[in-house]
Amino acid sequence: MRKFILPLLLSGAGSAGVGAQSAPPPRTDSVYTGAIMTRWGKTVTPANAWRSYPRPQLERAKWQNLNGLWDYAITKAAAPLPPRMDGQILVPFAVESRLSGVARTLLPEDRLWYRRHFTVPADWTGQHVLLNFGAVDHVAHVWVNGAIVGTHVGGSDPFSFDITDFLKPGENIVAVQVADPTSAGSQPRGKQSLAPEGIWYTAVSGIWQTVWIEPVPALHIADVRVTPDIDRGRAEVDVALSASASDTDAVRVSVRSGGKTIASTIVRANRHASLSVPGAHLWSPEDPFVYDIVAELVRIQDPYAGRAERDRAAYDARFTQREGVTFAAAQVTGVPRDRVTGYFAMRKISVGPGKVIGQPALLLNNKPYFHNGTLDQGWWPDGLLTPPSEVAMRSDLEFLKKAGFNMVRKHIKVEPARYYYDADHLGMLIWQDMPAGGGEDQFVAGTSQSQAVLSSDVMAEQQNELAHMIGSLRAFPSIVLWVVNNEGWGQYDSATLARYVKGLDPSRLVDADSGWLDAAPGVSDVFDIHTYEDVPHTPTHQSDRAIVLGEYGGVGRPIDGHLWREDKRWSYQVTSDPKDYVARYKRKFDEVVRQARENGLSASVYTQTTDVEGEINGLLTYDREIAKAPPETFARMASPLFDAPK
């Protein structure tokens, strides 16, 4: 493996390796990587690139991180894995990003190849080995030692393959081929574009979240889902295994707090558990308290041994209260075969009576609670969709907390799981958008009166990724609302999709259409308008749902020396004067306060957390170095929302 030279990594073109005495000629497929980068990006190396455990809600003790330098190549679609690669790429940063060390465009007719060697630790002998990917955009084919092990479609969700049967002693080789049509396709992709401009940003292709391996038993825990019920003081828990189980396979579920077990039960494998959480400590942005949960796959003494017609008795007891009682009293034998840890919060999000009579409001833990948020794109000048580090990623949330915000609308992007972990523990509500898809002619306009028509295949892909997003993120208590459509971008049959989401996760609220065409009035929990006027418009009164400003603001202030490009300064309004900037912001925010008091407004989403590429309407510059105003200034303006008379 060639030596990794950081200055070449940061140059944004070509391979990260060295060898030739003179610099290679510029590539025609090089991506513009901007004039700035973050202070965290400047410290990234192959040894420290995203080292945290990547799946905090299903954590195991043993694992091996595969981030770092991989070989890479870009070929045309018909070409096989090339015998000679183009250079090295730093995983988990996308091939277009500066931190990848490559910064090359991947066109729809291209294929991106990855390859690296790895060795399975000796103490994993006898276990199955899972190869896990946090996210790969968009279609990934994976080989181990020359054999295909699986294919995954979807650019934002995690996936795994059991590679046990493909491994050999000593060194192994994993190869990944990626195809990504980006804006030439109709797949969910968010704001990625092959021709970035204005509100559309540089494409992201390939591996862009952590890759790792872990040992598991053949039968292992695949999923733990906790739904809090604060009204009954219970935690409803579903633990799913990787396959069907026998009558002697069981799961022990324990709720812990402060190092002590406060509730525990045993259930038959692949069954529901309900645990009492007496005197529950409720989670809120002001008090983000979480409980630990431990799920263990155990073996028990046969609970039906010696019964007359044993098989009949076991069969008839399935999914009954009798089965639950039997397994709760079962005797565990031996040590747990699999053990995962996570956490949950006792909190409730709902719609109910608010402070303005007749206008329903968003409730947190059964009380009206105003969501003061920002639109958050989650883009970075050096890593694009991938933050340079978890510390960098968390810094955005920490700034927003200081600035008086208690909510983030994660805008048509899914973050690494550690982001939601940080939001849970810092105390930040999350509105999670589904990444937008569809073709250009399927983007509904603000004046449109009907929704787009999509093929069955495109709709199936959208719904599949929507289900995967909810499935992978529903464990995080900070997420309180799912946003299905944004401004009609690929919007189709939003009422059906909203019902679909409610069926998948009835514990959270649904915003069917954020802005523009309101096509699900009887299903969506909120009525959401976008208003970038100097003084925001007021949503019309709704008798059966909360009213929110899903987007407003957009005051731009360019900061010289902290711009992605000097010639790109897009915003809804622009000022270069710091006092004028604060005055414009205050004029908008004062109207939010008025609407909350007089009209029963439940939430507002200011555009936006940071500048992004050519956009300059962030509270922070794109490199996160300069705040357009001190956070205390924003917090003082927000205080009337929470100090208002009850």
Side-chain angles (χ1 to χ4, degrees):
M1 184 174 288
R2 292 178 292 177
K3 185 178 179 182
F4 187 82
I5 304 296
L6 188 60
L8 286 179
L9 170 69
L10 302 181
S11 68
S15 167
V18 295
Q21 295 298 313
S22 59
R27 291 185 178 273
T28 58
D29 62 354
S30 294
V31 174
Y32 175 76
T33 57
I36 55 175
M37 68 183 305
T38 67
R39 60 185 180 275
W40 304 282
K42 294 174 183 177
T43 67
V44 170
T45 70
N48 68 16
W50 278 91
R51 310 316 295 179
S52 299
Y53 190 89
R55 195 184 55 212
Q57 282 288 32
L58 197 72
E59 186 167 350
R60 292 186 172 92
K62 292 184 178 181
W63 69 295
Q64 180 177 311
N65 195 318
L66 296 186
N67 290 342
L69 291 176
W70 294 47
D71 298 322
Y72 92 96
I74 296 176
T75 69
K76 293 305 177 185
L81 174 66
R84 181 179 178 85
M85 304 294 271
D86 293 348
Q88 291 184 313
I89 185 169
L90 181 55
V91 170
F93 298 102
V95 68
E96 296 90 348
S97 71
R98 179 185 297 203
L99 284 176
S100 73
V102 178
R104 291 175 61 186
T105 299
L106 189 75
L107 297 174
E109 62 268 23
D110 294 335
R111 296 297 180 265
L112 170 61
W113 293 88
Y114 294 84
R115 183 182 65 198
R116 72 156 287 165
H117 297 77
F118 69 97
T119 301
V120 176
D123 63 351
W124 294 9
T125 301
Q127 296 277 79
H128 283 233
V129 177
L130 299 183
L131 173 61
N132 304 302
F133 293 84
V136 180
D137 197 352
H138 175 70
V139 179
H141 302 280
V142 181
W143 290 260
V144 171
N145 295 324
I148 187 77
V149 299
T151 297
H152 180 265
V153 179
S156 298
D157 51 293
F159 60 96
S160 301
F161 299 120
D162 187 332
I163 60 172
T164 309
D165 294 339
F166 305 91
L167 297 173
K168 62 183 181 180
E171 196 170 64
N172 295 270
I173 300 176
V174 57
V176 182
Q177 184 209 61
V178 176
D180 186 10
T182 310
S183 50
S186 56
Q187 79 290 349
R189 61 188 177 276
K191 286 198 169 186
Q192 300 180 55
S193 176
L194 292 169
E197 183 74 22
I199 66 169
W200 307 101
Y201 313 140
T202 304
V204 168
S205 303
I207 299 170
W208 67 277
Q209 290 188 31
T210 294
V211 185
W212 79 102
I213 56 175
E214 63 180 335
V216 295
L219 180 67
H220 55 271
I221 296 170
D223 204 0
V224 178
R225 300 186 291 270
V226 184
T227 303
D229 185 341
I230 70 169
D231 298 324
R232 297 172 55 241
R234 304 195 70 82
E236 305 298 333
V237 185
D238 294 313
V239 179
L241 302 187
S242 59
S244 60
S246 72
D247 291 331
T248 57
D249 293 315
V251 173
R252 180 167 55 203
V253 182
S254 303
V255 174
R256 296 176 60 82
S257 179
K260 297 180 180 179
T261 299
I262 62 173
S264 184
T265 191
I266 297 172
V267 295
R268 192 192 194 282
N270 294 314
R271 294 296 191 270
H272 176 78
S274 181
L275 292 90
S276 176
V277 185
H281 189 155
L282 302 185
W283 183 98
S284 71
E286 294 74 28
D287 184 13
F289 182 87
V290 299
Y291 291 88
D292 297 320
I293 189 162
V294 180
E296 298 169 298
L297 176 60
V298 297
R299 194 176 298 280
I300 60 171
Q301 295 178 1
D302 186 350
Y304 301 106
R307 300 277 186 92
E309 296 187 308
R310 181 213 173 278
D311 293 343
R312 184 79 254 173
Y315 185 85
D316 288 344
R318 287 185 180 181
F319 300 102
T320 67
Q321 184 178 11
R322 184 168 71 255
E323 181 185 66
V325 172
T326 298
F327 275 79
Q331 297 297 309
V332 174
T333 62
V335 298
R337 288 175 285 164
D338 192 17
R339 184 180 190 271
V340 298
T341 60
Y343 62 91
F344 69 97
M346 295 297 287
R347 67 101 185 91
K348 177 183 178 181
I349 184 71
S350 58
V351 174
K355 297 177 182 179
V356 173
I357 296 175
Q359 176 56 65
L362 297 178
L363 309 182
L364 178 64
N365 300 331
N366 295 321
K367 297 178 181 179
Y369 190 87
F370 193 91
H371 295 203
N372 180 33
T374 61
L375 196 71
D376 196 285
Q377 315 281 358
W379 288 73
W380 299 79
D382 34 26
L384 300 179
L385 281 186
T386 310
S389 69
E390 185 178 355
V391 173
M393 183 174 67
R394 187 169 57 244
S395 72
D396 281 358
L397 294 173
E398 292 170 338
F399 170 81
L400 292 174
K401 290 284 287 188
K402 291 179 183 177
F405 294 95
N406 58 24
M407 179 265 281
V408 163
R409 180 181 167 201
K410 183 47 62 178
H411 194 39
I412 56 176
K413 178 207 176 181
V414 176
E415 290 285 359
R418 301 296 306 191
Y419 178 89
Y420 305 96
Y421 173 92
D422 290 333
D424 292 340
H425 289 79
L426 288 172
M428 184 67 76
L429 302 172
I430 302 293
W431 290 14
Q432 178 61 52
D433 287 16
M434 172 65 190
E440 174 59 37
D441 70 324
Q442 294 160 334
F443 282 17
V444 175
T447 54
S448 298
Q449 296 175 317
S450 62
Q451 301 178 85
V453 174
L454 280 66
S455 72
S456 296
D457 286 346
V458 171
M459 290 190 294
E461 183 173 13
Q462 178 81 13
Q463 288 153 208
N464 183 54
E465 292 204 36
L466 180 61
H468 279 134
M469 180 186 78
I470 294 170
S472 64
L473 297 182
R474 62 174 295 167
F476 297 102
S478 55
I479 299 175
V480 294
L481 180 144
W482 304 111
V483 181
V484 178
N485 292 300
N486 176 73
E487 290 190 350
W489 299 348
Q491 177 180 336
Y492 72 96
D493 200 0
S494 59
T496 295
L497 289 180
R499 293 187 188 97
Y500 179 60
V501 171
K502 284 175 177 285
L504 290 172
D505 182 13
S507 71
R508 290 181 172 89
L509 302 180
V510 177
D511 183 351
D513 304 303
S514 182
W516 298 5
L517 182 60
D518 177 30
V523 185
S524 184
D525 293 304
V526 299
F527 175 58
D528 179 334
I529 72 166
H530 294 181
T531 169
Y532 285 103
E533 290 73 20
D534 190 40
V535 176
H537 291 170
T538 305
T540 56
H541 170 81
Q542 305 289 311
S543 61
D544 60 349
R545 51 182 172 165
I547 57 173
V548 304
L549 301 181
E551 293 182 26
Y552 82 103
V555 181
R557 181 187 161 207
I559 306 293
D560 291 336
H562 298 274
L563 298 172
W564 173 254
R565 295 178 63 136
E566 288 292 335
D567 59 337
K568 301 293 182 181
R569 303 186 179 206
W570 188 92
S571 186
Y572 294 94
Q573 301 173 19
V574 180
T575 180
S576 59
D577 180 76
K579 291 183 179 180
D580 185 40
Y581 173 83
V582 172
R584 288 171 180 264
Y585 180 94
K586 188 175 187 302
R587 184 157 56 246
K588 293 174 182 289
F589 204 91
D590 285 349
E591 174 62 12
V592 169
V593 173
R594 186 203 67 77
Q595 291 184 24
R597 287 179 173 172
E598 299 178 12
N599 301 96
L601 186 74
S602 279
S604 61
V605 181
Y606 181 84
T607 301
Q608 58 190 337
T609 304
T610 73
D611 294 348
V612 184
E613 298 199 354
E615 286 190 72
I616 57 164
N617 49 23
L619 303 175
L620 294 165
T621 55
Y622 195 20
D623 57 8
R624 278 72 167 175
E625 285 299 314
I626 304 293
K628 307 293 179 69
E632 296 79 10
T633 299
F634 298 120
R636 280 195 300 271
M637 285 186 268
S639 61
L641 287 172
F642 310 104
D643 298 339
K646 296 184 178 180

